[in-house]
Amino acid sequence: DIQMTQSPSSLSASVGDTVTITCRASRSIGDWLAWYQQKPGKPPKLLIYKTSILESGVPSRFSGAYSGTQFTLTISGLQPDDFATYYCQQWTAFGQGTKLEIK
Amino acid sequence: QITLKESGPTLVKPTQTLTLTCAFSGFSLDTNGVGVAWIRQPPGKALEFLALIYWDDDKRYSPSLESRLTISKDTSKNQVVVRMTNMDPVDTATYYCAHSRIAASGTNFNFWGQGTLVTVSS
């Protein structure tokens, strides 16, 4: 059973900053990893799938990459709308989430 | 336009069985590569996968909850139903259904319902 370990659990940043969130798989899972953004009281929104493909309508400041079993979500030039909780997911496993807060 | 909507009881008693229905539109669940999943989120906590049903009626369950879960589909009604037995207060959560894109090497959830909050309490 795959486990996804996501870090950090929380992160403070300012508008305009670049931040990176990491997700590590318990074993090699290829490159089919997805990232979601969730705001309070709302369902998650798919941002990226297959590690680096942006879902339609997602701004290009979001990007994804991987190396071995470590996956990263990078947000370049944070916008006020980006402050939310982010989750990684592969098959039936979700990460524990990263809450991105305004500094 | 794909939409999904969850329905079911908002309050169940401990030991009871929860039955939730996902009514969807904008896609067919007999299309190759399509599935519907149930995912839950306890208040203030992370997302947790529960079950996924594929277009070909194959099913996947959370290993830790598999003994309590049953997922089924009614393609003619565009509905997916999940049943969870022996409910406990720790099962209090918002339950989401989601459209799944399924490939050989993975799946993702690209459309979600708004979720339904289920409280387990006597």
Side-chain angles (χ1 to χ4, degrees), chain B residues 12-16 68 85-92 120-121:
Chain B
V12 297
K13 291 181 170 23
T15 76
Q16 286 187 335
R68 297 172 55 203
T85 61
N86 195 25
M87 293 292 285
D88 182 273
V90 300
D91 297 313
T92 294
V120 184
S121 174

Side-chain angles (χ1 to χ4, degrees), chain B residues 4-122:
Chain B
L4 304 101
K5 186 171 184 178
E6 307 87 352
S7 63
T10 57
L11 178 66
V12 297
K13 291 181 170 23
T15 76
Q16 286 187 335
T17 294
L18 172 68
T19 300
L20 293 172
T21 300
C22 177
F24 59 85
S25 63
F27 67 97
S28 175
L29 197 37
D30 58 11
T31 300
N32 194 305
V34 170
V36 171
W38 284 95
I39 295 151
R40 72 178 179 180
Q41 186 171 39
K45 296 190 177 180
L47 300 166
E48 180 182 22
F49 171 86
L50 298 178
L52 167 62
I53 190 162
Y54 292 56
W55 74 97
D56 61 0
D57 210 38
D58 194 8
K59 304 171 179 78
R60 293 287 182 271
Y61 293 103
S62 162
S64 62
L65 294 169
E66 183 166 8
S67 63
R68 297 172 55 203
L69 288 167
T70 304
I71 191 170
S72 61
K73 65 182 174 75
D74 186 331
T75 305
S76 64
K77 291 184 179 178
N78 283 352
Q79 290 182 346
V80 170
V81 173
V82 69
R83 281 210 206 71
M84 181 179 290
T85 61
N86 195 25
M87 293 292 285
D88 182 273
V90 300
D91 297 313
T92 294
T94 296
Y95 288 74
Y96 295 101
C97 63
H99 173 276
S100 306
R101 290 188 299 216
I102 301 167
S105 51
T107 185
N108 55 66
F109 311 112
N110 56 339
F111 292 95
W112 295 65
Q114 285 302 304
T116 185
L117 175 61
V118 178
T119 301
V120 184
S121 174
S122 54

Side-chain angles (χ1 to χ4, degrees), chain A residues 6-63:
Chain A
Q6 192 174 335
S7 62
S9 57
S10 64
L11 182 55
S12 290
S14 301
V15 172
D17 285 353
T18 293
V19 297
T20 297
I21 298 168
T22 297
C23 198
R24 187 180 297 275
S26 57
R27 58 175 172 85
S28 178
I29 59 172
D31 63 353
W32 198 280
L33 182 111
W35 291 96
Y36 301 82
Q37 177 193 68
Q38 188 180 31
K39 296 184 178 179
K42 299 292 187 183
K45 173 188 172 184
L46 178 65
L47 297 176
I48 288 173
Y49 64 97
K50 207 167 185 284
T51 298
S52 60
I53 301 175
L54 263 60
E55 182 71 351
S56 176
V58 174
S60 58
R61 63 180 179 273
F62 292 90
S63 63

